[in-house]
Amino acid sequence: MGAAKILVVGPLGVGKTTLIGTVSEIEPLSTEAVMTRAGARVDTTPDQSKTTTTVALDFGRITIDGELVLYLFGTPGQPRFLPAWRDLAKGSLGALALIDTRDLESSFDALGNLEDLGLPFAVAVNVFPGSPTFTDDELRTALDLLPDTPLVFCDAREATSSVRALIALLRHLIDVTESA
Ligand SMILES: Nc1nc2c(ncn2[C@@H]2O[C@H](COP(=O)(O)OP(=O)(O)O)[C@@H](O)[C@H]2O)c(=O)[nH]1
Ligand SMILES: [Mg+2]
């Protein structure tokens, strides 16, 4: 029985809390707070619909194949919290980076930091209604992904879809470990 710490990263409103809540077999710990006026100036989502934001982190647990326990840490996506999630990255094996195709640039901070940290990651495009659609190649180019970085599409509200994204990450972590 192994255990691994995995980060779920991405910008505000991309679906981190949703994904962790969808897959977690324990009551997910989520620290949501109504946005403060200070936050409201900078914390915006493309459709302006979000009224709460994660101020600290989300935490959940999922057991894969009855033997591998993943501890999921959802890390705040706002740029001003990036130093905090650098600390959270300590001891983690890898990350699932969530992407919203309505605003690809909002993911650049998180992806850049994963690269700076040398943390292996998979990219999961969380599909929202009305999201522009891109081909894999277009997304890889726009996000400047390495050829071996997994790119999957998911719906964070669906367990099967979210678990599939985590498994794509796990396969990648195994590949990276074996080729090291
Ligand atoms: N349509 C759709 N909505 C989603 C999906 N994932 C999250 N949402 C919604 O998007 C909003 C932001 O999600 P949340 O998990 O709070 O984002 P976070 O800021 O990254 O934790 C919530 O209202 C979710 O219900 C998804 O895969 N599809
Ligand atoms: Mg959240």
Side-chain angles (χ1 to χ4, degrees), residues 44-137:
T44 55
T45 50
D47 60 7
Q48 306 286 320
S49 64
K50 202 162 150 55
T51 51
T52 63
T53 185
T54 306
V55 291
L57 70 135
D58 300 293
F59 175 72
R61 188 191 74 200
I62 176 174
T63 308
I64 305 279
D65 277 350
E67 50 181 308
L68 175 64
V69 180
L70 302 185
Y71 292 100
L72 303 175
F73 290 76
T75 65
Q78 301 93 323
R80 68 179 184 278
F81 287 125
L82 286 176
W85 78 248
R86 280 175 173 273
D87 284 340
L88 275 167
K90 286 178 189 139
S92 62
L93 281 192
L96 188 65
L98 294 179
I99 304 291
D100 179 350
T101 58
R102 296 172 301 182
D103 184 3
L104 292 176
E105 287 186 17
S106 66
S107 297
F108 290 176
D109 280 320
L111 294 176
N113 273 269
L114 292 176
E115 277 158 16
D116 289 351
L117 293 164
L119 200 60
F121 61 92
V123 169
V125 178
N126 200 15
V127 182
F128 291 88
S131 289
T133 50
F134 296 100
T135 64
D136 283 20
D137 280 350

Side-chain angles (χ1 to χ4, degrees), residues 4-9 89 91-96 114 119-122 169 173:
K5 175 181 175 182
I6 299 291
L7 301 188
V8 178
V9 308
S92 62
L93 281 192
L96 188 65
L114 292 176
L119 200 60
F121 61 92
L169 170 62
L173 295 180

